[in-house]
Amino acid sequence: MEDTRLFGEDAPRGDVKPPRAAKDKSPQPKRAKKPSFEEKYQRLERILDGIEREDLPLEQLISLFEEGVGLIRECSSYLQEARLVIESHLDDDGGLHTISGLKDDAEE
């Protein structure tokens, strides 16, 4: 007979497998929400306000400038994609889906 004082009553006997370890139920880190166009634009406005300050150290100025350039690229790309989507819905030939009043960049 097995000594239950060392292993307890529920100790595995012979070919009985020990219970599996419980899965880690700790909360998984949530992915950061991707900022919207409006949020990026607002951040860009704050960056421009910061760059205009005269008391800003050069290191911060350069950092803000780099962030601003990245945001300008992202916003510009988003606007270009939006323009393509809009243009894909326009039908100049058939005239069924035209929207008047939109100007091309070259016309401005």
Side-chain angles (χ1 to χ4, degrees):
M1 185 167 153
E2 204 171 284
D3 189 356
T4 59
R5 291 177 292 160
L6 295 176
F7 300 107
E9 292 288 331
D10 297 329
R13 291 177 172 67
D15 60 294
V16 178
K17 295 180 182 177
R20 289 185 189 176
K23 289 185 179 181
D24 182 18
K25 294 186 180 183
S26 61
Q28 296 296 323
K30 294 182 180 181
R31 292 184 180 171
K33 184 184 117 182
K34 188 175 178 181
S36 68
F37 173 81
E38 290 77 12
E39 291 169 330
K40 290 178 184 181
Y41 191 81
Q42 289 172 354
R43 174 64 184 147
L44 185 56
E45 287 179 332
R46 288 192 306 271
I47 288 172
L48 291 173
D49 289 340
I51 288 175
E52 291 174 351
R53 290 179 38 199
E54 294 180 13
D55 62 337
L56 197 65
L58 182 60
E59 292 81 15
Q60 284 183 313
L61 179 66
I62 292 170
S63 178
L64 285 175
F65 178 79
E66 289 174 339
E67 183 182 355
V69 168
L71 287 170
I72 289 171
R73 288 182 179 146
E74 290 176 26
C75 289
S76 178
S77 175
Y78 179 86
L79 290 173
Q80 181 62 30
E81 288 176 24
R83 182 185 181 117
L84 292 174
V85 168
I86 291 169
E87 288 177 352
S88 73
H89 292 290
L90 301 178
D91 184 357
D92 291 337
D93 294 333
L96 298 174
H97 301 100
T98 60
I99 299 176
S100 61
L102 291 180
K103 294 183 179 179
D104 191 16
D105 287 340
E107 295 175 5
E108 293 178 358

